[in-house]
Amino acid sequence: EDQVTQSPEALRLQEGESSSLNCSYTVSGLRGLFWYRQDPGKGPEFLFTLYSAGEEKEKERLKATLTKKESFLHITAPKPEDSATYLCAVQARGTSYGKLTFGQGTILTVHP
Amino acid sequence: DGGITQSPKYLFRKEGQNVTLSCEQNLNHDAMYWYRQDPGQGLRLIYYSQIVNDFQKGDIAEGYSVSREKKESFPLTVTSAQKNPTAFYLCASSTQTAKETQYFGPGTRLLVL
């Protein structure tokens, strides 16, 4: 059974204090790993897709990396507007449709 | 402006009542999905559809039904058989199914009176 575990459950940072969120996964062959940002009461907003170990993608203050067992979302010099829940999901090979298995999310709060 | 719309934003269900959540997309996506989100849990797949007039059960389909009569629309009905319907419901779509990014709508929060 595919599993995704995100840590920490919640993270509080001061503005400018860089840190990383972790997404550990167990899947029978990874087809893709997806990061989303979700604001309270809203739908998830797509951030990145990673397909193979060693791959990295960046967007503004965010950088996602992938190994064979986990992915990190690095946040550099965060701002209060980066506060949100960050969701990680994996898609396994062998599924005929785009089933995503989600982690429970990391709630990030950035204080000014 | 392309995107996914869900309505209503809030929905109240009385006991024994069926309610229908709307999901429309103008992205020309073939695949559409319904997820349920509960506090502290990951999103869970209810139903998915790869093409018009075809849909399949996800992990938690009991108590729900769907239809896919048009490419743009994928309504979800929460039936009276769903005993714990209070949740945030999210609709998503993608160009194909495998490997493609799923884009989400704004969600509908269902509450039980």
Side-chain angles (χ1 to χ4, degrees), chain A residues 10-70:
Chain A
L11 181 62
R12 295 175 183 266
L13 300 174
Q14 288 297 126
E15 184 172 3
E17 180 187 2
S18 300
S19 188
S20 297
L21 282 56
N22 178 263
C23 171
S24 297
Y25 63 89
T26 304
V27 66
S28 53
L30 181 70
R31 180 177 276 158
L33 185 142
F34 302 81
W35 281 100
Y36 291 87
R37 169 197 168 122
Q38 186 176 26
D39 292 308
K42 297 189 176 180
E45 174 190 346
F46 170 70
L47 293 174
F48 304 109
T49 306
L50 301 167
Y51 294 111
S52 57
E55 191 174 358
E56 299 182 352
K57 289 192 177 175
E58 289 188 65
K59 179 181 178 181
E60 297 180 354
R61 295 177 293 281
L62 300 176
K63 179 180 178 180
T65 62
L66 180 65
T67 72
K68 289 186 178 179
K69 293 185 178 180
E70 58 191 349

Side-chain angles (χ1 to χ4, degrees), chain A residues 31-32 34 36 38 41-46 49 51 87 91 95-105, chain B residues 9 33 35 37 40-43 45 48 50 59 88 90 97-107 109:
Chain A
R31 180 177 276 158
F34 302 81
Y36 291 87
Q38 186 176 26
K42 297 189 176 180
E45 174 190 346
F46 170 70
T49 306
Y51 294 111
L87 303 173
Q91 191 177 87
T95 57
S96 60
Y97 63 98
K99 178 182 176 180
L100 295 178
T101 300
F102 281 84
Q104 79 282 14
Chain B
K9 187 172 181 179
Y33 311 82
Y35 290 88
Q37 187 175 34
Q41 294 191 37
L43 277 68
L45 183 66
Y48 67 97
Q50 296 175 272
D59 298 323
F88 192 46
L90 290 158
T97 52
K99 215 174 181 179
E100 295 295 332
T101 299
Q102 293 180 23
Y103 296 91
F104 285 83
R109 187 165 298 281

